[in-house]
Amino acid sequence: MSAAARVAELTATFAAPSLSVAWLLCDRHPADRVAFTVVDSDSKASTLTFGELAADSHRCARALQGLGVGPGDRVATLMGKSTDLVTVILAIWRLGAVYVPLFTAFAPQAIALRLEGAGAHVVVVDPDQRHKLDPGPDMPDDPQRRIVVTGTGTSSTGDASLADLVAAASPEPVPAVTTSGGGPLVHMFTSGTTGKPKGVIHPVSYIAGWQVYLEYGLAVTQDSSYWCAADPGWAYGLYAAIVAPMAAGIPSLLLSGGFSPETTWRTLAEHQVTDFTAAPTVYRGLRSSPVPVPQGLRLERASSAGEPLTPEVNEWAGSALGLAVHDHFGQTEVGMPLANHHHPELARPLKAGSMGRPLPGWSLTVLADEKDEPAAPGVLGRVAIDVAASPLMTFGGYQIPGQSDAKFTADGRWYLTGDAGRVDADGDFFFSSRDDDVIIMAGYRIGPFEIESVLAQHPAVAECSVIGAPDDVRGEVIEAYVVVRDGHDASPELAAELQLLVKTRYAAHAYPRTIHFIDALPKTPSGKTQRYLLRRRRRTELATPEAR
């Protein structure tokens, strides 16, 4: 089957006028096939078959139904990766309700924003996260909110126990609830890279794009041992680790707890992982760790998404893993439209710094800055999606009307990703920066990512971020914020080395005029650097007399 035919088939399946989400993700698969392998913090693994998941989610759905949950209701989880998590998610969809994922690293204020924004009045929470829901300055009291606690321990007064609710529930399957491809599936929020998070409601048809990504971008098959290490509190982790594998009937591995080099290497080795995908920070963490690469790895394909992949990762991966990490590009709003494909029919030699080519079902270009027409090859512009030519495009706007006006061109043809980049004559896309992050210095348009990529190659640099700071003569000048790796000293000599590195490896005019050494970069909870906070901080500093 051609890629175009496969896109058409999946689009028809998930955009049907009448469908059952639970059937598409679980019930149609062989009952004895493994759906998930969950590895706990002690490296003990347990498996969950599709048959077990179906039975457990029916009971869980009965329990939620007893709390009044029905079609269209928002149900949130504040849970770590576990069999309980996937069971609750599927139970929500069995009832035709809408899932609201919450990242377990969120503080109360971020949780409250999402609960209130989505209108979620039922929250399923792990015991170690329960305190974040206590009323306080950052968590307004909601008398209508029902809190359901997982585990077998005692719960706070007024809370319900998930185990008790499930034990008391009828074992009879809940009646099938049908919806349409346009029906709401997930209510989540953008990461807030450039400002306040915005609500995005994913329709059921959004799943098709993720299954296309799983099959063509990642090239995961039934023969794969597949692990997506991203957290399901965010779109990439939810869809790449849970939803897309379920849709394809492919086993997926979930590792409880946070990242550590030791547990990552051990899991890759013990479970003979062949297909691995994670954020660039995971690969950088492995690269900088003294923990040696274990013997006996079976890794065949490695992928990265969530933020741009800097070149030093593949310099390391080539020797340490014997393969290259493929960079992929996506957004909460649209899914994954660009990839350096692993699928043998679409794979091409990797180009350093490239985020790949459009996946099947997507059409993208780079628009000129001054008009809504494609820019010439190699010219920096606005990365955009051709809406009419992209059958996997489901995003029509944010939850609040008007917030997405600037995301589309006036004629509605182009969706503007908000990223600056370029596309070469071969059709490979290269990320430069967020539109707001482009630096204009003495008439030059400079993307900070390319400078960051050079700085990151210095052995003393753990992390870095480049911004444009106001300058009376040039308009803006380049400045860099650098986190120094353990064992190295932040010094004027190091600053001079970094400036020379950029001059010699990138461009003589585009070196950072000032190097700021800091302990940590400001980031969103998902780990994306917030350059706009660094720009705001620097402008405030320069506005004071002592900073001049």
Side-chain angles (χ1 to χ4, degrees):
M1 182 183 294
S2 69
R6 182 59 173 153
V7 169
E9 181 181 61
L10 290 172
T11 301
T13 298
F14 289 99
S18 180
L19 53 83
S20 164
V21 174
W23 184 83
L24 288 172
L25 298 187
C26 178
D27 301 347
R28 62 173 169 159
H29 301 309
D32 60 351
R33 181 180 295 172
V34 172
F36 294 96
T37 298
V38 180
V39 182
D40 67 18
S41 55
D42 296 323
S43 294
K44 293 177 61 178
S46 60
T47 59
L48 183 69
T49 66
F50 280 104
E52 292 168 335
L53 178 57
D56 292 349
S57 62
H58 271 294
R59 292 288 292 267
C60 187
R62 285 283 187 192
L64 294 176
Q65 197 174 50
L67 298 177
V69 175
D73 291 334
R74 269 55 173 170
V75 180
T77 68
L78 187 58
M79 301 170 65
K81 288 169 273 189
S82 63
T83 55
D84 272 351
L85 174 64
V86 294
T87 300
V88 170
I89 294 173
L90 187 59
I92 292 168
W93 290 334
R94 282 199 182 280
L95 298 174
V98 182
Y99 177 49
V100 182
L102 299 172
F103 184 36
T104 53
F106 278 147
Q109 188 175 69
I111 295 169
L113 181 151
R114 287 159 175 79
L115 292 177
E116 293 174 6
H121 296 302
V122 175
V123 186
V124 185
V125 58
D126 286 339
D128 63 342
Q129 295 284 325
R130 173 61 183 85
H131 66 282
K132 296 179 181 179
L133 301 176
D134 290 335
D138 294 330
M139 178 61 66
D141 188 21
D142 181 358
Q144 297 182 1
R145 182 178 301 139
R146 294 300 307 272
I147 297 174
V148 182
V149 182
T150 66
T152 57
T154 57
S155 59
S156 302
T157 303
D159 291 352
S161 162
L162 181 64
D164 291 346
L165 291 176
V166 169
S170 167
E172 291 296 314
V174 294
V177 175
T178 58
T179 183
S180 68
L185 179 79
V186 171
H187 192 150
M188 67 191 317
F189 293 77
T190 60
S191 61
T193 308
T194 58
K196 189 175 180 180
K198 300 179 181 67
V200 180
I201 301 172
H202 296 154
V204 176
S205 57
Y206 184 74
I207 299 173
W210 283 94
Q211 189 166 346
V212 168
Y213 171 66
L214 185 80
E215 295 180 8
Y216 290 93
L218 299 176
V220 176
T221 70
Q222 285 290 343
D223 296 327
S224 301
S225 175
Y226 171 60
W227 179 23
C228 170
D231 194 282
W234 298 101
Y236 191 79
L238 172 62
Y239 289 99
I242 295 177
V243 178
M246 289 176 69
I250 290 174
S252 179
L253 188 149
L254 300 175
L255 175 65
S256 301
F259 166 77
S260 77
E262 294 85 353
T263 55
T264 300
W265 286 129
R266 184 168 61 245
T267 303
L268 287 168
E270 290 182 353
H271 293 272
Q272 293 290 277
V273 172
T274 58
D275 297 72
F276 181 61
T277 182
T281 51
V282 169
Y283 293 103
R284 287 195 285 265
L286 294 175
R287 170 181 173 266
S288 62
S289 169
V291 179
V293 179
Q295 298 295 314
L297 290 181
R298 281 190 56 216
L299 202 58
E300 297 175 8
R301 287 167 289 274
S303 305
S304 172
E307 59 180 323
L309 187 71
T310 42
E312 84 282 358
V313 170
N314 270 332
E315 292 178 6
W316 162 81
S319 58
L321 303 176
L323 47 75
V325 181
H326 288 216
D327 195 14
H328 300 163
F329 168 83
Q331 294 186 326
T332 301
E333 294 90 335
V334 300
M336 304 298 293
L338 286 172
N340 284 290
H341 303 84
H342 283 288
H343 194 285
E345 293 179 11
L346 301 175
R348 300 289 185 275
L350 293 184
K351 296 180 181 178
S354 172
M355 52 189 177
R357 300 182 180 189
L359 276 148
W362 294 97
S363 177
L364 288 86
T365 193
V366 171
L367 296 178
D369 285 327
E370 66 279 2
K371 54 186 176 181
D372 297 333
E373 296 179 5
V379 175
L380 191 66
R382 299 167 292 159
V383 179
I385 296 171
D386 188 337
V387 176
S390 300
L392 294 176
M393 178 71 170
T394 62
F395 179 74
Y398 294 113
Q399 175 188 0
I400 298 176
Q403 283 189 333
S404 57
D405 291 351
K407 298 296 291 183
F408 295 89
T409 56
D411 60 3
R413 177 181 177 183
W414 301 101
Y415 166 82
L416 306 174
T417 64
D419 294 296
R422 57 185 173 85
V423 58
D424 67 14
D426 296 327
D428 290 293
F429 284 72
F430 294 80
F431 177 84
S432 176
S433 69
R434 295 292 298 172
D435 280 347
D436 292 343
D437 293 332
V438 172
I439 302 166
I440 303 176
M441 185 181 73
Y444 292 100
R445 286 174 55 81
I446 301 168
F449 174 67
E450 293 174 290
I451 302 172
E452 291 166 358
S453 296
V454 173
L455 291 171
Q457 296 174 43
H458 194 286
V461 175
E463 290 188 297
C464 62
S465 185
V466 168
I467 66 163
D471 182 79
D472 292 338
V473 177
R474 300 179 181 88
E476 287 185 308
V477 292
I478 299 167
E479 298 191 1
Y481 288 80
V482 173
V483 178
V484 175
R485 197 182 297 277
D486 290 343
H488 296 268
D489 295 325
S491 65
E493 291 75 18
L494 176 57
E497 283 183 33
L498 295 174
Q499 290 171 324
L500 181 61
L501 185 68
V502 175
K503 288 180 182 179
T504 55
R505 292 195 178 179
Y506 178 58
H509 71 285
Y511 72 93
R513 266 51 177 187
T514 304
I515 304 285
H516 305 273
F517 294 109
I518 57 176
D519 294 331
L521 298 175
K523 295 183 178 182
T524 67
S526 63
K528 297 179 183 178
T529 301
Q530 296 171 303
R531 290 194 189 95
Y532 79 101
L533 292 180
L534 293 173
R535 288 197 301 268
R536 182 186 302 169
R537 165 178 163 175
R538 188 58 177 149
R539 286 175 185 143
T540 300
E541 291 172 349
L542 293 173
T544 59
E546 58 269 21
R548 293 183 175 275

